[in-house]
Amino acid sequence: MGRFTITGLVVLTTAAIATVAGASASEEGEERDPQACGSEVLTLRGGAGAGDVEGYELVPFEVPGGTELLEIGYRWSPEDAGVLDLGLWDPDGTAGPDAFRFWSGSRQGRLDRAMDPVRVRPDHNERTVVVDEVQPGTWHVELGIAAVTAPLEWTVEIRCPAGGPPDTLAADRVDAGLVIDPEPGWYAGDFHLHGYHSSPDGPDEAEMVDLARAAGLDIVPVTEYVTPAHWDRLGQAQRENPDLLLWPGREVITYDGHMVVLGETPASVEYRLGLDGTTLGDIQRAAAGEGALVSLAHPTLFPPDIFGDTCRGCYLEAIEQVDWEATELIEVVTEGVLAEIGGTEVPNPFVDTAVGLWEEQLRAGNRLTAVSGSDDKEGDRYGSTTTMVYADELGRAAVERALRDGHAYVRGLGAASPTVEVLATSADGATAMMGDT
């Protein structure tokens, strides 16, 4: 798990071959200097086998000075032989937020599906891409080996035409201290939401807010896959919608479990288990150390021994790596308490197993707050399950404090579920609500 190879800088069993305008750059197995991209397509080739699964291949290339933009597309063959995820790191390195430029899974840049290449340029809000200048130096395309059922060959195509440097699109972040409503009360949130940066068909920032309002939400966590790119694009949507609380976050996608991180973590962006010994606990501690709330996302969903690759990484296989002290929340309902199977609504079978895990951890002394999330990528099911939070006010700090204190409960059918209020009064007149001790 988590093997890490830099193609072209070390001797490999299956080496990458770089070609420019169709010319072979080197013999297989040799060490090579990274190839330079330009206005003509630079093609990089390599392969993956079953032993590479859950590893990450970093393919270097050189970007010359005066480059205006990068265009990156990829494919693998045979298509049904596996799944590769696409990412990119700039000259600042191959780890850390300063070097991270995008991660799009396998939903973008697929040349075999006639998708447009991923465009990296400083004046454009491309899906999943962190906006910054295109620096000269050694960049790395990242190929995450999500699945391999038979040996496959991959191809990456890169263009980096020269041009005058465009102005960099200014960051526009939400005000983390914003208070939407100063009154204490119960506020509705869907703590696992996706949009455009997770799915090409997903809603943009303004559409997310409209859909969240229609679903009766007060708290709108924006938890896109892996990338922090959307953190810089939510400010306008928040200003134009002062009745809802936007909460930037991200979903950390690993091949052995997912986590929702609520809050920006500008010093940490890692998601690659096994890289330099990275564990789930390491990722959790880094996020919690920046003040973010860490939630285990759908931890019992689609166990692979039964469902195979139905949802790669959704099931929390690396549970032994979890740092429970750095974990505040656990998602016990995903999508809703009902599921549709063969056109018939039945109880969602993964609710009982997730609640069972939550109760097991409570008995072990790990005081987690149960939450829910629609995990919706297109917006039509926002609020299909909601979490009610009793907060001193509708502001990020107050909601975060309430979640840490356990002042929350799950409405498995969203607005269609009944509401619950519990208040206990002792003989001396002291009161306590759910979550209090």
Side-chain angles (χ1 to χ4, degrees):
M1 178 174 74
R3 287 163 293 280
F4 180 59
T5 304
I6 299 182
T7 300
L9 297 183
V10 295
V11 178
L12 303 173
T13 303
T14 304
I17 301 172
T19 63
V20 182
S24 176
S26 65
E27 296 298 322
E28 182 168 315
E30 293 182 6
E31 294 188 18
R32 292 168 305 281
D33 292 329
Q35 299 294 304
C37 62
S39 58
E40 300 296 324
V41 172
L42 165 66
T43 302
L44 306 171
R45 295 190 177 95
D52 300 313
V53 172
E54 296 189 4
Y56 296 88
E57 187 143 346
L58 290 170
V59 188
F61 64 98
E62 287 293 320
V63 174
T67 295
E68 179 181 7
L69 63 92
L70 302 180
E71 293 182 339
I72 300 173
Y74 79 127
R75 63 166 64 89
W76 65 86
S77 179
E79 184 180 356
D80 61 359
V83 176
L84 304 183
D85 294 326
L86 183 65
L88 183 69
W89 300 84
D90 72 20
D92 286 325
T94 55
D98 290 341
F100 177 88
R101 295 309 289 268
F102 76 77
W103 183 93
S104 57
S106 57
R107 296 169 179 251
Q108 194 171 4
R110 294 277 300 276
L111 301 174
D112 54 318
R113 296 190 175 181
M115 295 182 184
D116 291 334
V118 183
R119 292 184 174 87
V120 179
R121 57 184 300 159
D123 61 343
H124 181 59
N125 181 25
E126 179 85 350
R127 197 179 80 81
T128 81
V129 177
V130 173
V131 173
D132 201 352
E133 63 180 3
V134 178
Q135 310 106 301
T138 302
W139 292 59
H140 290 83
V141 170
E142 177 186 286
L143 296 175
I145 317 300
V148 176
T149 57
L152 59 80
E153 296 181 351
W154 52 258
T155 301
V156 175
E157 295 185 1
I158 305 168
R159 284 184 68 247
C160 55
D167 293 335
T168 300
L169 191 65
D172 187 7
R173 296 194 169 193
V174 301
D175 176 3
L178 181 66
V179 174
I180 303 299
D181 188 334
E183 294 299 317
W186 288 101
Y187 296 105
D190 182 337
F191 287 95
H192 192 163
L193 290 177
H194 296 283
Y196 175 65
H197 287 275
S198 295
S199 170
D201 298 321
D204 65 19
E205 294 85 359
E207 292 167 336
M208 282 191 78
V209 172
D210 290 341
L211 290 162
R213 181 183 291 107
L217 300 179
D218 304 298
I219 307 161
V220 188
V222 186
T223 55
E224 303 281 32
Y225 291 144
V226 177
T227 183
H230 56 291
W231 299 348
D232 289 339
R233 306 289 154 237
L234 292 170
Q236 181 176 346
Q238 179 66 87
R239 290 190 299 275
E240 293 178 351
N241 297 275
D243 57 322
L244 300 182
L245 178 67
L246 301 191
W247 195 350
R250 65 189 187 104
E251 183 176 6
V252 178
I253 303 294
T254 84
Y255 294 138
D256 289 295
H258 296 183
M259 294 174 288
V260 168
V261 173
L262 296 172
E264 302 92 336
T265 55
S268 57
V269 74
E270 194 53 79
Y271 53 92
R272 298 167 296 179
L273 290 190
L275 174 60
D276 295 332
T278 297
T279 67
L280 279 177
D282 293 332
I283 296 171
Q284 292 178 293
R285 286 186 290 273
E290 294 192 67
L293 285 179
V294 177
S295 175
L296 300 181
H298 43 63
T300 64
L301 186 68
F302 295 125
D305 58 335
I306 300 173
F307 294 93
D309 283 340
T310 299
C311 187
R312 282 178 300 277
C314 291
Y315 184 84
L316 184 58
E317 289 195 85
I319 191 168
E320 75 284 351
Q321 297 182 16
V322 170
D323 185 331
W324 295 103
E325 291 187 2
T327 309
E328 295 284 351
L329 314 175
I330 182 170
E331 188 177 292
V332 297
V333 179
T334 305
E335 296 190 9
V337 293
L338 297 178
E340 187 174 305
I341 299 178
T344 302
E345 277 194 337
V346 298
N348 183 338
F350 305 115
V351 173
D352 283 349
T353 52
V355 169
L357 176 60
W358 174 46
E359 293 178 337
E360 175 186 308
Q361 293 307 316
L362 291 176
R363 289 192 293 270
N366 298 315
R367 193 169 180 268
L368 308 178
T369 298
V371 296
S372 66
S374 65
D375 196 9
D376 188 16
K377 286 79 172 170
E378 298 183 10
D380 57 341
R381 288 186 54 77
Y382 284 5
S384 59
T385 177
T386 58
T387 303
M388 301 301 297
V389 182
Y390 189 86
D392 295 333
E393 59 187 14
L394 183 54
R396 191 192 302 190
V399 172
E400 178 184 314
R401 189 164 55 249
L403 287 169
R404 291 183 189 275
D405 289 343
H407 296 169
Y409 69 91
V410 170
R411 300 177 74 186
L413 293 173
S417 294
T419 58
V420 177
E421 291 191 38
V422 176
L423 187 66
T425 305
S426 66
D428 62 1
T431 61
M433 66 178 300
M434 59 184 73
D436 288 337
T437 56

